Amino acid sequence: MRIPRFELERWQSVWENFVELNVSESGVKPYTLRELLQDSSEPEQELGRLMDARLGYPQTDGSEALRARIAALYPGAETANVLVTCGCAEANFLVAWNLLSPGDEVIILQPNYMQIAGVAEACGATAHPLWLREELGWAPDLDEFRRMISPRTKLIAVCNPNNPTGAVLSGEMITGICDIAAQCGAWILADEVYCGAELEGDLTPTFWGRSERVICNAGMSKAYGLPGLRMGWIVAPAGQIEQFWSAKDYTTIGVSMLSHKLAEFALAPKQRERIFERTRQILRENYPTLRDWIRGHGTSLRHIPPRAGAIAWVGYTGSRKSEEIAEELRAKKRVLIVPGAHFGMEGFLRIGYGYDRQHLKDTLARVDEVMF
Ligand SMILES: Cc1ncc(COP(=O)(O)O)c(C=O)c1O
């Protein structure tokens, strides 16, 4: 198995701890353990529970308690439909690795986090991008989608809310995607890791329950501000979960016991509500700074306001390569930004705004020095 380089993750892994200003992150400012527990009604008791947790192997598919909390987020799901994974990254890996064989075709709604594309290639499958259309508010053209399916289409990968655009698909669009997938018998893999990070309004509706061949992946790295827990999950039909669990014996076996305990705590309904409120507050507080900066550049910059996620997909005019801009920012200004090229699209930069306002203002001032 030869796996291609995952450009976005390499860029972040190598540099994120060696810059002054990092806007390559797509989630909100992570919690400290103190902040997380203090946010609860009984911080002392919670801390006590953590101190008393025996640091053995957890139940490797996830504790019953944790899987029950996760199942409760998906209408009609039960614990047998849930596998706990090491981040949404392991969830995505296990699904693609398990489902794809040489000769299979995958349709990926792009731009998208490029993990499925990379694993598909490593499995000998062929990935075809279905480009989301800016003029449709970063939604797909369903007629184009219909023309792309074939009996060999095994998997359709969608990220909703979308990374990098922050767009959310309408219910009608979700139905349309499910109908087309059903025509060719393909699985839908919906990466919903940004659900809960909506700036306004309701949570993004899940693909779960929209058709029989749906797999939903998510985790606590983005909307929950807990990427360091490395907590994710797969929600799928029980038979598929059995297979993914069995594949997990070869990857991480299980997620750490402390992460289990903290995730059980954070997913309790009241606590989850508090966490999402914090996330929204951060997003609402910071986004206007980014929006006003973009507007201030007239026709040189553009974006469609993100509905969710702490990211904006900012288009710029001119022919400069996005990686060249990102590298200059890194090397000369000690700023880490994500170039559009890492999503297969030139003329864009992904800017994370989930930290704090001053951090964002300082970053944008340095971007000005390089771009304008
Ligand atoms: C769409 C998407 N899926 C999965 C991941 C990986 O998430 P995790 O940190 O939960 O492994 C990311 C990280 O940026 C992402 O953007």
Side-chain angles (χ1 to χ4, degrees):
M1 185 176 184
R2 233 196 89 256
I3 200 150
R5 186 177 151 103
F6 192 162
E7 296 293 351
L8 166 63
E9 289 297 337
R10 272 295 78 209
W11 176 244
Q12 291 183 287
S13 293
V14 172
W15 296 116
E16 64 194 346
N17 293 306
F18 300 97
V19 290
E20 285 170 6
L21 298 166
N22 180 11
V23 289
S24 74
E25 278 299 328
S26 58
V28 294
K29 186 177 184 172
Y31 272 102
T32 64
L33 184 55
R34 191 185 304 278
E35 287 163 353
L36 181 66
L37 296 188
Q38 275 175 354
D39 230 12
S40 88
S41 50
E42 297 168 329
E44 292 304 322
Q45 255 172 296
E46 288 305 334
L47 190 59
R49 265 195 277 270
L50 279 180
M51 300 285 271
D52 290 336
R54 200 160 289 285
L55 302 179
Y57 283 104
Q59 170 67 22
T60 69
D61 56 342
S63 69
E64 277 294 311
L66 180 54
R67 283 184 297 123
R69 288 245 194 269
I70 295 166
L73 307 178
Y74 298 84
E78 296 173 1
T79 53
N81 298 117
V82 179
L83 177 66
V84 170
T85 58
C86 188
C88 187
E90 191 192 20
N92 286 341
F93 181 84
L94 290 176
V95 171
W97 183 40
N98 215 261
L99 288 183
L100 298 176
S101 306
D104 287 339
E105 296 190 356
V106 184
I107 296 176
I108 304 179
L109 277 65
Q110 284 182 224
N112 198 329
Y113 186 64
M114 294 303 279
Q115 187 185 7
I116 302 299
V119 182
E121 187 181 326
C123 292
T126 307
H128 301 285
L130 168 62
W131 289 104
L132 300 170
R133 300 291 192 82
E134 190 170 5
E135 68 277 16
L136 300 178
W138 298 117
D141 174 337
L142 292 184
D143 290 330
E144 188 185 349
F145 185 17
R146 227 169 262 119
R147 288 193 295 272
M148 287 172 74
I149 57 170
S150 85
R152 290 209 303 226
T153 309
K154 185 72 181 282
L155 183 67
I156 289 157
V158 50
C159 180
N160 189 50
N162 179 262
N163 175 10
T165 65
V168 171
L169 294 169
S170 67
E172 210 175 297
M173 208 35 103
I174 293 178
T175 305
I177 292 169
C178 291
D179 288 349
I180 295 170
Q183 280 172 32
C184 61
W187 284 98
I188 294 176
L189 169 54
D191 181 333
E192 299 176 343
V193 75
Y194 292 94
C195 175
E198 294 77 8
L199 280 100
E200 308 281 346
D202 294 337
L203 294 190
T204 301
T206 175
F207 270 71
W208 180 251
R210 299 296 193 115
S211 101
E212 278 174 17
R213 288 168 86 80
V214 164
I215 297 164
C216 292
N217 290 351
M220 306 188 78
S221 299
K222 313 298 178 184
Y224 295 80
L226 296 168
L229 292 191
R230 308 306 305 125
M231 176 55 68
W233 54 81
I234 303 174
V235 177
Q240 293 304 127
I241 288 292
E242 283 287 329
Q243 290 184 30
F244 300 144
W245 184 16
S246 165
K248 189 175 158 61
D249 295 343
Y250 283 95
T251 54
T252 57
I253 303 178
V255 180
S256 90
M257 185 59 90
L258 283 179
S259 294
H260 259 77
K261 295 290 169 205
L262 286 163
E264 283 168 20
F265 163 71
L267 287 171
K270 257 197 185 151
Q271 199 55 42
R272 182 169 174 261
E273 221 171 275
R274 280 201 197 107
I275 289 173
F276 282 177
E277 194 39 51
R278 170 190 181 266
T279 299
R280 269 176 203 234
Q281 251 174 31
I282 294 174
L283 297 177
R284 287 195 200 138
E285 206 172 292
N286 297 353
Y287 173 63
T289 299
L290 181 58
R291 181 199 59 205
D292 294 348
W293 177 77
I294 295 168
R295 283 186 187 157
H297 286 84
T299 53
S300 303
L301 294 179
R302 68 183 192 285
H303 84 308
I304 295 177
R307 300 260 311 278
I311 39 178
W313 187 232
V314 182
Y316 60 89
T317 50
S319 56
R320 251 189 114 184
K321 294 268 185 250
S322 59
E323 279 175 305
E324 195 186 294
I325 296 171
E327 175 55 20
E328 189 176 338
L329 275 165
R330 185 201 65 75
K332 294 197 182 147
K333 302 293 173 186
R334 310 211 66 198
V335 163
L336 198 68
I337 202 166
V338 179
H342 288 182
F343 289 89
M345 276 180 91
E346 268 309 339
F348 286 86
L349 298 168
R350 191 188 76 178
I351 301 181
Y353 63 90
Y355 207 71
D356 63 44
R357 240 186 312 175
Q358 196 53 51
H359 176 272
L360 184 59
K361 279 185 184 164
D362 294 347
T363 303
L364 298 176
R366 293 192 201 182
V367 175
D368 274 335
E369 289 165 12
V370 163
M371 286 186 78
F372 301 102

